[in-house]
Amino acid sequence: MKRAAQPAETAQVGRSVPRLESWLKVTGRAEYVHNLRLPGMLYGKIFRSTVSHGRIKRLDVSAAQAVAGVYRVVTSKEVRELVPEPYYGPAFHDQPILALDKVRHVGEPVAVVLASDPHVAEEAAALIVAEYEPLAAVYDEVEAMTSNAIVHDELKPAGTFPDLKHLKGKANTNIALDFHLRRGDAAGALKGAHRVFEHRFRTQQVMHTPLEPLVSVAECTDRTLTIHTASQSPSFVRIEIARLLGWPENRIRVRVPFLGGGFGAKLYIKLEALVSVLSLLTKKPVKISLSMEEQFFTITKHATTFRIRSGVDRDGKILARECEVWWNGGAYADIGPRVTQKSGFTAPGPYDIEHVAVDSYALYTNLPPAGALRGFGIPQLVWAYESHTDMMARELGADPVEFRRRNLLREGRPQATGTVMRDAAIEKVLDRTADLLDWKKPFDRGTGSVRRGRGIAIGFKACVSPTTSLAAVSINADGSCIVYCSTVDMGQGSDTAMAQIAAEVLKVATESIRVVHSDTDVTPYDMATLGSRSLFHMGNAVRLAAEDAVKKLDQLRSETQLPADASVKDVFRKRYGMQAGNVLGTASFVPGYTAPDANGLTDNATPFWMVGASGVEVEVDTETGRVRVTRLINVADAGTPINPRIVETQLSGASIMQLGFTLSEKMEFDAEGQLRNASLAEYKIPGFLDLPGEIVNEAVVAEQRSGPFGAKGVGETSTFGVSPAIANAIQDAVGVRLTSLPLSAEAIYMAMQKK
Amino acid sequence: MQPFELVEPGTLREALALLDADDARPAGGATALMLMMKAGVLRPARLVRLAKLGLDGIELGASGELRIGATATLRALEKSPLVRAGWPAITRALHTLSNVRVRNVATLGGHLAHADPHTDLPPLLSALGAVATVAGRGGERRLPVESLYAGYLETTLKRGELITRVDVPALGKRRAAYLKCTTRSADDWPAVGVAVVLDGERQTIFVSAATDRPTRLASADAVDALEIEGDLHGSAAYKKQLIRVYVKRAIHEARSAAG
């Protein structure tokens, strides 16, 4: 080890411990599924639909089957022999393992070629011929509300979420879920308002772009199935594969090593059902590694339309707000219905508004499926409400920061659902952002063709609830410690954070702790690594499990009648007569939750709130519309950071990702639902040369009292404010307002010409 | 990608013979070629690697011209003190041409023969009056770089012909500049590339990226007449605006440039 071990008496929490896995990663020794090769393994190459909606009339795989080196070609017919109802999904059982009868988006998997040489499989897949009878298709989320083109003949809620059960069997609709919230009388209050503002905003479909594309390997024996997969949710994969196969969970093992990025792309179930079926059909290990291009057809972020209407009184106090949000879920629901509800209830923003109405709709369309992407729908909402709020302030001649301050949701006040805000440093985060941006100081507005502006935006998120985490902590006979948890380290630093939490309780050095990676045969259940929930939920479970281990060790010590300062080694030696045995502390953590009532109201919507604001300075080239972000400030309430350096890199990383979604990234579809830019050459994520000249990240002094050592999640927080802050700054610089993402140079230039 | 034969001839004669076959393609750095093969756009049976032909020299000719061997890498050009001293606009253009990993292996000959209008050196070398030497089994011919292009990914080279050398005339009192504009990320293919060479009052202007090949512009005011198509980089109207702005800026940069 190249790291110097820290003395155990140093506080472990609050220390910027270097990532425990850094050395493995920079020396190329970290385990990834992409590098896994098993003896006799077959590679699968997917043949995909070329139409966005159609009935499969003919599927001819004979030419592919005839290619030398092809082991087998598999279609839905063979899948069905093994799994009679081959539909999966976390919210709806709507997604077939391979297309059955119909295809519902371009790029949908239709057949798989298996070969021991992946190049042979690829060549052969290109020889498969499919004929489709075209069906009417729908692509726009608002049109999907009333379109005659229906994506699914009937809705099939999974039953996992009790509040979706009533949708079972519903036909002739593309609305997978509609969520409604009513508090006070928004319509009445808008009638009596001094001024009413209404705007409509749009966000585009984008992709997660993990640099390790999705990859899964399955291997089987007669009675067991092992899945090695780049997944954020191993426990869910086991449950879902067990359900599909009709097997008990203990015959399925899901192993997850490191991930090369996740961002929500690797959640729930993706390639796992397919490789499992292929392995069971062939009795051989089967691997499928997607190309970067194929990722665009697998999972994406919801495009949205958001209509927002607010009424203010003469003093600039927001009296009422109506929000209508349409989420473009693509052809399969994935977790979209959860996004619609769990994010939908924060649509009015972090403001104290007496009368609110929210209508949030999850829509099926004939585009690639959409799921969760770093923020779980919140960036789409903040984009709209913080653009809208800024436009109102400017129309009213008010300072945008002061206007927000006047309306801010403060500690102890009820949010739209009625849940009272606790440990949410909204005001502090806004103030600190304004300070770091020197909001009150004079600002150089540029000259000639370079105009400068600045903008600010603030958003918040309720952590998804209710969810469960279990953890175990072992103290070995030599005193060394192991943490068992199913949280997946996909680059966010969870191994290090969990080790710090355990080390703090066990009073040992973080660097001496070993964290065992997700393996459902070994590590206990966890809902998933998503939505910034792990540090809070799993962090609490690890803390409790470590405390349980300490308690059991103390018990052992007292049983052996050794003095309180006796070493761990001595305790075990005395108890077992040699260096043997261990104690295993266990714990589960499930925060309280109250389901919303018929009006969407609840007194306990979430275990904690995340608060994030961004402030930006931009330069706009008035001759081309090109925007350069010269300064980006990200401020967050992350509670009390366990590892300040990791908090900082999470804040900067999330904001840079959102910068791409703001300025350059967009999946471009033509009128037939064909994706025109499914490659990194034509879908542009930010590179180093696109980064702002200066990025400042700060976590305000705060405490999440229910969190482990005062901490809470931070992985998504700085995605919230970036997009609207930049749009607000562009208006400040050149006087034009864009309401649709991305904020392309052309859109800005054309808007300036119309001014 | 299907299997292919890779050959590395040691002489130009051998290379030309090996290329005189169906499904044979020359490979310089193969940076673009491999992408096209992976995408299935090209399916050659034989790749003829040109690295061992000894055509990678960068030197001054008798009339002060720059003689660049076709297999000189873009990185070697970028780092060449000769180029920097005599043709600094080429050095500057190379700094932002793709990325350093590509420049390390991509060759000048491949860069020109690929005929992708989004690449940087074809418009600049055209504006500088560079001349390519082309070898075929029937012998050599010389043609201006400007005349190399027939259209999008299409050259005027005949089957079995190879670019072996490019001569760039001495800059003398002329001033040159190349500017490009990307509309998505900084490392995107450009929406517009503009090369300008000023010789006293005389302006030579080439536009690329927005056009299907490097295209000579009679004057800075001739933008409206250009045939431009909209694509993912921008609409036709917007690209014309970018050309107007970048022609103006390139002229300004050439005027203020040291060379």
Side-chain angles (χ1 to χ4, degrees):
Chain A
M1 292 296 276
K2 298 284 169 184
R3 277 186 306 271
Q6 297 290 320
E9 52 270 25
T10 311
Q12 300 302 313
V13 155
R15 183 160 72 85
S16 290
V17 179
R19 302 273 188 98
L20 300 183
E21 75 285 6
S22 307
W23 189 252
L24 284 180
K25 285 190 175 171
V26 300
T27 54
R29 287 170 174 84
E31 184 193 351
Y32 293 97
V33 180
H34 262 284
N35 299 328
L36 180 67
R37 286 182 198 179
L38 297 172
M41 189 169 81
L42 298 172
Y43 292 86
K45 191 68 195 172
I46 299 173
F47 169 77
R48 294 172 181 278
S49 168
T50 52
V51 301
S52 62
H53 199 192
R55 203 174 297 283
I56 302 171
K57 274 169 59 185
R58 191 170 74 92
L59 188 58
D60 182 355
V61 303
S62 53
Q65 186 70 68
V67 172
V70 167
Y71 185 84
R72 187 165 171 183
V73 183
V74 175
T75 66
S76 61
K77 195 164 150 269
E78 288 94 334
V79 171
R80 217 162 200 173
E81 283 164 14
L82 196 70
V83 185
E85 275 297 307
Y87 293 96
Y88 62 84
F92 287 76
H93 291 157
D94 58 0
Q95 192 157 5
I97 293 174
L98 288 173
L100 286 162
D101 314 322
K102 276 186 187 178
V103 290
R104 297 182 177 84
H105 68 90
V106 170
E108 178 164 3
V110 174
V112 179
V113 178
L114 294 168
S116 52
D117 180 339
H119 298 293
V120 169
E122 187 173 5
E123 286 290 323
L127 301 176
I128 294 177
V129 180
E131 274 180 43
Y132 306 96
E133 173 197 335
L135 297 170
V138 60
Y139 308 111
D140 179 84
E141 61 276 6
V142 181
E143 283 172 23
M145 293 283 292
T146 53
S147 171
N148 292 326
I150 300 294
V151 181
H152 290 273
D153 298 334
E154 74 176 65
L155 302 185
K156 294 178 191 162
T160 325
F161 303 107
D163 52 317
L164 301 183
K165 272 187 182 152
H166 66 286
L167 294 169
K168 193 171 170 60
K170 216 171 155 188
N172 286 320
T173 180
N174 290 318
I175 306 173
L177 178 78
D178 53 329
F179 169 75
H180 306 282
L181 183 150
R182 297 286 181 274
R183 200 160 72 93
D185 173 18
L190 282 168
K191 273 189 201 123
H194 167 59
R195 295 275 304 270
V196 174
F197 300 89
E198 179 176 334
H199 303 110
R200 199 178 170 99
F201 298 91
R202 186 140 206 292
T203 67
Q204 79 285 33
Q205 193 171 9
V206 296
M207 201 261 278
H208 307 66
T209 327
L211 291 185
E212 173 206 41
L214 293 164
V215 55
S216 300
V217 177
E219 53 176 325
C220 65
T221 66
D222 285 347
R223 290 190 46 79
T224 63
L225 181 70
T226 300
I227 305 167
H228 312 264
T229 181
S231 170
Q232 296 174 235
S233 49
S235 300
F236 183 86
V237 168
R238 181 171 70 169
I239 291 171
E240 192 69 341
I241 299 293
R243 180 187 68 78
L244 286 166
L245 297 176
W247 287 14
E249 287 185 38
N250 67 358
R251 284 171 56 193
I252 294 156
R253 177 183 179 199
V254 182
R255 274 192 72 244
V256 179
F258 286 111
L259 263 60
F263 314 113
K266 297 169 180 174
L267 274 173
Y268 308 109
I269 174 164
K270 293 291 179 290
L271 296 171
E272 292 88 355
L274 183 55
V275 291
S276 296
V277 165
L278 295 171
S279 179
L280 289 166
L281 285 172
T282 58
K283 308 288 178 206
K284 281 174 168 286
V286 173
K287 179 177 196 172
I288 295 185
S289 321
L290 293 192
S291 65
M292 193 56 81
E293 177 183 5
E294 288 178 291
Q295 291 207 105
F296 287 95
F297 300 111
T298 307
I299 191 68
T300 67
K301 179 177 179 172
H302 289 81
T304 56
T305 300
F306 189 156
R307 190 189 68 87
I308 184 168
R309 202 161 166 240
S310 300
V312 293
D313 70 10
R314 287 177 187 283
D315 301 324
K317 176 89 183 86
I318 305 172
L319 300 171
R321 186 165 269 186
E322 284 179 348
C323 305
E324 269 184 288
V325 194
W326 297 272
W327 304 83
N328 194 328
Y332 298 104
D334 199 82
I335 201 62
R338 296 287 92 184
V339 172
T340 302
Q341 191 217 337
K342 296 291 181 186
S343 290
F345 73 68
T346 69
Y351 298 105
D352 198 337
I353 306 173
E354 199 177 339
H355 304 281
V356 289
V358 178
D359 298 300
S360 183
Y361 303 94
L363 279 318
Y364 282 116
T365 64
N366 293 107
L367 292 173
L373 196 168
R374 206 168 195 170
F376 212 72
I378 297 296
Q380 291 99 315
L381 300 174
V382 186
W383 155 246
Y385 67 63
E386 278 301 87
S387 294
H388 173 69
T389 300
D390 217 73
M391 291 160 86
M392 288 167 65
R394 285 169 202 270
E395 282 275 318
L396 292 166
D399 176 83
V401 173
E402 281 313 306
F403 181 70
R404 285 178 173 84
R405 283 184 57 82
R406 197 174 310 159
N407 288 289
L408 223 51
L409 188 55
R410 289 178 167 81
E411 190 81 3
R413 291 287 301 159
Q415 186 266 342
T417 55
T419 298
V420 172
M421 301 300 291
R422 299 276 178 228
D423 294 348
I426 299 174
E427 191 172 8
K428 211 182 223 180
V429 166
L430 179 66
D431 287 352
R432 193 64 191 134
T433 310
D435 283 351
L436 287 168
L437 201 57
D438 299 321
W439 188 259
K440 287 184 177 148
K441 291 187 187 154
F443 180 65
D444 168 13
R445 311 206 67 88
T447 53
S449 62
V450 179
R451 299 291 161 164
R452 306 182 74 246
R454 55 190 176 163
I456 206 164
I458 183 165
F460 75 146
K461 178 179 186 238
C463 183
V464 65
S465 191
T467 68
T468 301
S469 288
L470 274 70
V473 171
S474 173
I475 303 175
N476 301 321
D478 64 352
S480 67
C481 304
I482 303 176
V483 172
Y484 300 88
C485 73
S486 291
T487 292
V488 174
D489 199 323
M490 49 192 178
Q492 83 279 37
S494 59
D495 281 4
T496 309
M498 296 308 160
Q500 284 184 268
I501 290 168
E504 181 76 27
V505 175
L506 300 169
K507 298 192 172 59
V508 299
T510 299
E511 292 82 349
S512 74
I513 301 255
R514 176 158 159 69
V515 181
V516 173
H517 277 175
S518 299
D519 178 340
T520 56
D521 271 9
V522 179
T523 55
Y525 175 89
D526 177 50
M527 183 262 189
T529 305
L530 62 79
S532 306
R533 64 174 291 282
S534 299
L535 185 69
F536 182 87
H537 292 78
M538 189 59 82
N540 267 322
V542 167
R543 178 179 59 84
L544 293 168
E547 286 171 5
D548 187 46
V550 168
K551 199 179 82 192
K552 285 172 173 161
L553 182 66
D554 287 346
Q555 207 176 328
L556 204 60
R557 189 179 277 116
S558 72
E559 281 169 23
T560 54
Q561 296 179 330
L562 284 167
D565 62 348
S567 76
V568 179
K569 271 185 190 171
D570 289 344
V571 172
F572 281 102
R573 222 171 244 147
K574 176 96 186 272
R575 173 69 181 75
Y576 296 107
M578 58 186 288
Q579 184 175 318
N582 66 316
V583 294
L584 189 67
T586 60
S588 66
F589 182 78
V590 197
Y593 173 70
T594 312
D597 65 16
N599 284 320
L601 305 182
T602 164
D603 64 352
N604 188 3
T606 180
F608 66 93
W609 300 93
M610 287 164 258
V611 183
S614 291
V616 299
E617 292 179 9
V618 302
E619 287 179 2
V620 181
D621 182 330
T622 58
E623 292 180 318
T624 63
R626 281 164 60 95
V627 177
R628 208 162 68 85
V629 178
T630 50
R631 203 157 172 246
L632 172 59
I633 314 282
N634 303 304
V635 180
D637 172 3
T640 309
I642 299 285
N643 186 316
R645 176 66 186 143
I646 294 182
V647 166
E648 191 191 348
T649 52
Q650 282 296 308
L651 290 175
S652 72
S655 70
I656 291 165
M657 193 160 183
Q658 190 65 31
L659 191 71
F661 300 148
T662 305
L663 295 176
S664 62
E665 293 179 49
K666 183 184 186 187
M667 290 170 64
E668 302 264 7
F669 292 94
D670 70 9
E672 272 77 49
Q674 303 282 350
L675 183 57
R676 300 170 65 201
N677 59 336
S679 79
L680 290 190
E682 290 298 335
Y683 177 93
K684 300 310 296 186
I685 64 172
F688 280 107
L689 296 174
D690 299 296
L691 298 191
E694 185 189 6
I695 306 182
V696 178
N697 305 292
E698 188 174 300
V700 297
V701 175
E703 185 187 4
Q704 179 66 38
R705 283 165 294 174
S706 53
F709 303 104
K712 62 179 153 194
V714 69
E716 304 162 305
T717 309
S718 67
T719 63
F720 304 164
V722 173
S723 304
I726 293 174
N728 297 342
I730 290 168
Q731 178 168 19
D732 192 48
V734 292
V736 300
R737 172 59 64 169
L738 267 59
T739 56
S740 192
L741 289 177
L743 307 172
S744 72
E746 175 166 358
I748 295 163
Y749 176 77
M750 293 302 177
M752 288 173 66
Q753 301 315 298
K754 283 189 201 134
K755 207 174 66 163
Chain B
M1 188 163 58
Q2 67 177 21
F4 57 88
E5 176 194 14
L6 178 67
V7 288
E8 281 191 334
T11 67
L12 182 60
R13 177 187 288 272
E14 263 183 278
L16 293 172
L18 286 162
L19 282 167
D20 192 8
D22 290 335
D23 301 332
R25 291 200 78 90
T31 52
L33 184 65
M34 291 312 291
L35 290 175
M36 295 173 93
M37 286 169 64
K38 282 182 184 171
V41 178
L42 295 176
R43 300 166 67 85
R46 176 191 289 167
L47 292 189
V48 181
R49 192 159 178 256
L50 308 177
K52 299 198 170 154
L53 301 185
L55 294 175
D56 58 351
I58 301 172
E59 56 201 30
L60 278 185
S63 327
E65 80 275 22
L66 179 67
R67 296 161 65 102
I68 313 167
T71 64
T73 65
L74 299 180
R75 185 66 167 167
L77 269 184
E78 182 189 3
K79 289 285 178 193
S80 161
L82 270 184
V83 179
R84 195 179 315 126
W87 297 265
I90 296 179
T91 309
R92 282 197 297 274
L94 282 159
H95 290 324
T96 59
L97 190 156
S98 189
N99 58 60
V100 71
R101 297 182 309 281
V102 167
R103 295 198 296 274
N104 273 335
V105 287
T107 63
L108 179 66
H111 182 77
L112 295 182
H114 180 40
D116 183 334
H118 299 97
T119 51
D120 297 316
L121 295 184
L124 179 55
L125 293 178
S126 296
L128 287 168
V131 174
T133 301
V134 171
R137 294 193 87 178
E140 272 189 1
R141 63 184 179 113
R142 283 165 59 82
L143 74 165
V145 169
E146 180 183 358
S147 310
L148 263 178
Y149 299 103
Y152 187 77
L153 300 182
E154 275 181 71
T155 65
T156 54
L157 296 174
K158 299 188 188 89
R159 175 178 147 155
E161 278 190 330
L162 272 182
I163 300 172
T164 54
R165 201 179 79 216
V166 175
D167 295 346
V168 190
L171 200 58
K173 286 182 180 156
R174 298 184 299 163
R175 294 288 176 264
Y178 172 74
L179 290 181
K180 63 176 165 180
C181 176
T182 64
T183 52
R184 296 177 298 190
S185 63
D187 69 352
D188 195 2
W189 291 106
V192 164
V194 173
V196 166
V197 174
L198 304 179
D199 189 358
E201 288 305 298
R202 208 176 133 241
Q203 300 177 345
T204 306
I205 304 169
F206 272 81
V207 172
S208 64
T211 50
D212 69 348
R213 73 193 99 162
T215 302
R216 186 185 283 268
L217 216 55
S219 76
D221 304 320
V223 176
D224 287 338
L226 281 174
E227 269 187 43
I228 308 271
E229 280 178 27
D231 61 14
L232 295 174
H233 300 277
S235 67
Y238 180 61
K239 284 200 250 181
K240 283 194 176 177
Q241 168 64 12
L242 290 180
I243 296 171
R244 281 183 211 105
V245 173
Y246 277 79
V247 165
K248 185 181 76 180
R249 291 181 184 177
I251 291 172
H252 178 78
E253 177 163 321
R255 282 212 180 105
S256 40

